Amino acid sequence: MRTSLGTKPRSIMSAAAIILLCFMPFSVSAFAPIQQQALHAPTKTIRIHTTLSLSNSDNNGGDDGGIDDFESNRMDIVRSLQKSFYMPESPTAIPDGDNNDEAASYATSSCPRAQLDESTGKIINLPLWRVGWIETPGRRNCLNVHEGIYTHMFESILSTQSETNDPLYFGHLYLPGGTKAAKSGEERYRLKTWREELDDDDRFDNYSKSSTLNAPDISTPSVDRSAVVGCLMQIVDHRRMEDGRLMLLVQAVERFVVDEVLETLPYSVANVQILLDKEDLQFKGDDNDKNEQVDENFCKYLRGDAVTASFFYHDYEFNKPKLPIGEKNNSYLSKDDVPWVEISNLLPFAEYSSDDVSLNAANEKSSSMQESLLASMNNGDASSNFAEGELSMEEQLFNGGILWDPPSIQNVIVRRSLDTSDCDALETLLWLAMDDFCRATGFNLPEEVRVLMPPEMDYLDQMPTEHALSPLYPKIRRQRRLSYLAPALIENLEEVGKGIRHIWLNTPSTNARLRGALERYDYLNNKLMGQFE
């Protein structure tokens, strides 16, 4: 088990955490994600409407002011405990969004910050938020955290904010049933590493029609178990509510697979391996046999360089907006202080930064990584002595069924040639299909999607964007972003898009996601144009 950094003894920290959690706000459910209303079957003009809500945990005790006084006193105790528990050992930076003396008490160095290990491409000490829905890279969300364990987890993360404003990361990992499933004792809900998942003979069992006695009310219409592939999330802004909840503005920046479980109580912490697409990390050079095996001992060090290069692009790919809430002397907000409509305008997709100054360093890092990778592969280092090694992690995940290509749709009339696997061609075909879909339904693509349109396709019937992507931005990363966002637009339309967000997250390549999205847009266009067989 991991030992926390800092000078506070672990036993004191654990005892304080238990006391703190006892006073946290009571609630029925573990989480109250801010819901997003996606597209419904097209009739006329389709638009995305995003609604936000806080679940009601107010006492229904009538007009007796004594209950209100009790709640007020209880929250005073909670805040006092928080200030003591997250008290800094020495003066550090005040987290963004808390510009008063009271907020300074939340800064501390007692909790280790999740950080990228550039030598391996792993995120070390990553706290995990195990919830009942799935995120994919390129999305943005506003979270309402009101369960004691996770309020504690996020307060611990926020307390590690440094003077240099290093990114604050946590892991978003799918768990059917959320906290209820985690507490059920079911083996299928236990947090596992990818190697443990591959060794589990029961991982393809379907519990949708029959469930075990420990959790009979938790089931989904698919393989029902804890995921090992998740999304790396970055906290962009936060506010504290009067009732003890946390409002967090977050965005999904990369995907990962659980590599090593460090802790499970009071919340899960793990070392995770960042998962890149095949196009970002090709271990086989042009002169190598494509069927030749590549040793993981060779791959893991080059993977670290590739992941580090990918992180260099984050400053441009994800701007960092603030919650549209005016600064007040009181850092605790009531529900009436929250401008729901303004917040919804920030969702559900992340926006690019208008400043491309970071792209020069990112491209230089990526170019250096690619040159080193190609040199090693063409020298034969990748496959040397493979008999004594093992397959690359990516190949093991794909061969073992943790990563997979999107399933094909039957009886789709493909009106365009698909005799190429080139990402450039698939990107062009997908944009043509999306343009047909928009014309047939009257749907206007969001700005965050339109900005991904290749500049040479300005002849499409799409509104111009306020800002164009920088010419320094690599097209393969633009294509990767599109491969996640295009299927997200139709994820609630017809059976071809519903309930398969996990498939896009687990797809091993940009190419496969573009092809899968294209097939689904062609399916919808077939139906809209009366050409479906």
Side-chain angles (χ1 to χ4, degrees), residues 280-354:
D280 300 316
L281 189 59
Q282 300 186 26
F283 293 122
K284 300 174 183 179
D286 296 336
D287 298 333
N288 292 101
D289 182 358
K290 298 302 181 181
N291 295 320
E292 195 172 26
Q293 306 296 344
V294 181
D295 190 349
E296 169 63 15
N297 290 322
F298 163 82
C299 297
K300 60 184 179 183
Y301 298 107
L302 294 177
R303 185 183 298 117
D305 290 338
V307 170
T308 301
S310 181
F311 272 58
F312 268 68
Y313 288 102
H314 289 177
D315 284 343
Y316 178 71
E317 292 175 327
F318 301 93
N319 71 345
K320 299 176 178 60
K322 295 293 184 181
L323 286 166
I325 301 172
E327 298 294 342
K328 295 187 176 183
N329 291 332
N330 183 2
S331 62
Y332 301 106
L333 303 177
S334 68
K335 295 179 183 179
D336 295 335
D337 293 328
V338 181
W340 304 115
V341 175
E342 288 81 356
I343 292 178
S344 70
N345 292 332
L346 299 175
L347 312 178
F349 302 131
E351 298 175 330
Y352 283 85
S353 171
S354 58

Side-chain angles (χ1 to χ4, degrees), residues 168-456:
L168 296 178
Y169 294 129
F170 69 96
H172 186 290
L173 197 64
Y174 175 61
L175 176 64
T179 297
K180 180 186 291 187
K183 294 179 179 179
S184 69
E186 296 285 353
E187 175 65 18
R188 57 189 162 127
Y189 297 138
R190 180 174 66 86
L191 178 62
K192 299 177 182 178
T193 68
W194 66 269
R195 293 182 185 277
E196 290 177 316
E197 184 73 355
L198 288 178
D199 291 338
D200 190 345
D201 295 334
D202 299 327
R203 61 195 175 94
F204 293 115
D205 290 349
N206 193 319
Y207 292 90
S208 60
K209 296 183 178 179
S210 62
S211 187
T212 55
L213 296 178
N214 290 343
D217 57 337
I218 302 175
S219 65
T220 61
S222 62
V223 177
D224 186 18
R225 59 191 295 108
S226 177
V228 295
V229 176
C231 241
L232 179 67
M233 311 294 292
Q234 180 180 356
I235 299 176
V236 180
D237 196 14
H238 72 279
R239 290 293 187 276
R240 296 181 176 89
M241 306 296 289
E242 285 181 344
D243 58 3
R245 308 176 192 216
L246 279 173
M247 177 184 294
L248 302 174
L249 184 62
V250 302
Q251 45 200 17
V253 295
E254 297 280 357
R255 59 178 181 162
F256 67 78
V257 63
V258 178
D259 187 69
E260 180 184 5
V261 177
L262 301 180
E263 292 183 1
T264 56
L265 293 173
Y267 52 84
S268 298
V269 180
N271 294 338
V272 304
Q273 177 66 63
I274 297 298
L275 275 179
L276 299 179
D277 283 357
K278 285 183 178 179
E279 293 80 3
D280 300 316
L281 189 59
Q282 300 186 26
F283 293 122
K284 300 174 183 179
D286 296 336
D287 298 333
N288 292 101
D289 182 358
K290 298 302 181 181
N291 295 320
E292 195 172 26
Q293 306 296 344
V294 181
D295 190 349
E296 169 63 15
N297 290 322
F298 163 82
C299 297
K300 60 184 179 183
Y301 298 107
L302 294 177
R303 185 183 298 117
D305 290 338
V307 170
T308 301
S310 181
F311 272 58
F312 268 68
Y313 288 102
H314 289 177
D315 284 343
Y316 178 71
E317 292 175 327
F318 301 93
N319 71 345
K320 299 176 178 60
K322 295 293 184 181
L323 286 166
I325 301 172
E327 298 294 342
K328 295 187 176 183
N329 291 332
N330 183 2
S331 62
Y332 301 106
L333 303 177
S334 68
K335 295 179 183 179
D336 295 335
D337 293 328
V338 181
W340 304 115
V341 175
E342 288 81 356
I343 292 178
S344 70
N345 292 332
L346 299 175
L347 312 178
F349 302 131
E351 298 175 330
Y352 283 85
S353 171
S354 58
D355 185 359
D356 65 354
V357 66
S358 63
L359 287 180
N360 287 320
N363 288 334
E364 181 179 349
K365 180 69 175 177
S366 180
S367 177
S368 175
M369 180 274 299
Q370 291 293 343
E371 290 176 1
S372 175
L373 181 63
L374 290 174
S376 298
M377 290 186 300
N378 291 328
N379 288 335
D381 296 339
S383 58
S384 60
N385 299 323
F386 177 77
E388 301 176 3
E390 62 176 339
L391 291 174
S392 69
M393 180 193 71
E394 291 79 6
E395 290 188 82
Q396 292 184 63
L397 293 175
F398 185 78
N399 294 342
I402 293 178
L403 299 181
W404 62 83
D405 290 338
S408 297
I409 302 176
Q410 301 297 321
N411 301 323
V412 176
I413 299 176
V414 180
R415 293 176 289 114
R416 303 181 183 92
S417 174
L418 286 177
D419 59 353
T420 177
S421 60
D422 180 72
C423 283
D424 293 349
L426 290 173
E427 178 188 37
T428 299
L429 294 175
L430 179 56
W431 271 107
L432 291 172
M434 292 170 64
D435 194 53
D436 287 346
F437 176 80
C438 291
R439 284 200 303 269
T441 61
F443 175 54
N444 295 322
L445 294 176
E447 171 91 5
E448 298 89 345
V449 177
R450 297 199 311 273
V451 75
L452 300 173
M453 187 172 68
E456 64 272 14

Side-chain angles (χ1 to χ4, degrees), residues 6-74:
T7 59
K8 295 181 181 179
R10 181 73 178 192
S11 58
I12 297 178
M13 293 287 289
S14 299
I18 294 173
I19 296 174
L20 180 61
L21 293 177
C22 290
F23 282 93
M24 286 295 186
F26 303 108
S27 59
V28 177
S29 60
F31 323 99
I34 293 170
Q35 299 296 325
Q36 299 171 0
Q37 180 178 339
L39 297 178
H40 297 283
T43 54
K44 297 182 180 179
T45 299
I46 304 177
R47 298 182 186 277
I48 292 180
H49 298 285
T50 307
T51 58
L52 308 174
S53 65
L54 289 173
S55 63
N56 184 15
S57 61
D58 297 334
N59 287 293
N60 297 318
D63 296 327
D64 187 358
I67 293 181
D68 292 335
D69 291 340
F70 171 79
E71 279 297 304
S72 177
N73 292 334
R74 186 171 68 86

Side-chain angles (χ1 to χ4, degrees), residues 452-485:
L452 300 173
M453 187 172 68
E456 64 272 14
M457 298 189 71
D458 56 358
Y459 56 85
L460 295 180
D461 189 18
Q462 298 295 327
M463 294 185 296
T465 58
E466 183 177 351
H467 300 289
L469 289 183
S470 170
L472 298 175
Y473 188 56
K475 63 181 179 180
I476 187 60
R477 296 193 69 87
R478 180 190 70 206
Q479 293 162 353
R480 183 174 78 165
R481 185 77 154 252
L482 178 66
S483 72
Y484 283 114
L485 269 53

Side-chain angles (χ1 to χ4, degrees), residues 86 88 91-109 113 154-166 168 235-240 246 248 322 327 331:
Y86 303 108
T92 56
I94 299 176
D96 291 343
D98 296 316
N99 297 324
N100 53 56
D101 294 337
E102 184 179 27
S105 64
Y106 287 93
T108 180
S109 60
R113 184 190 304 113
F154 283 111
E155 286 286 9
S156 298
I157 296 173
L158 293 172
S159 73
T160 66
Q161 181 65 67
S162 67
E163 295 180 359
T164 57
N165 289 324
D166 292 334
L168 296 178
I235 299 176
V236 180
D237 196 14
H238 72 279
R239 290 293 187 276
R240 296 181 176 89
L246 279 173
L248 302 174
K322 295 293 184 181
E327 298 294 342
S331 62

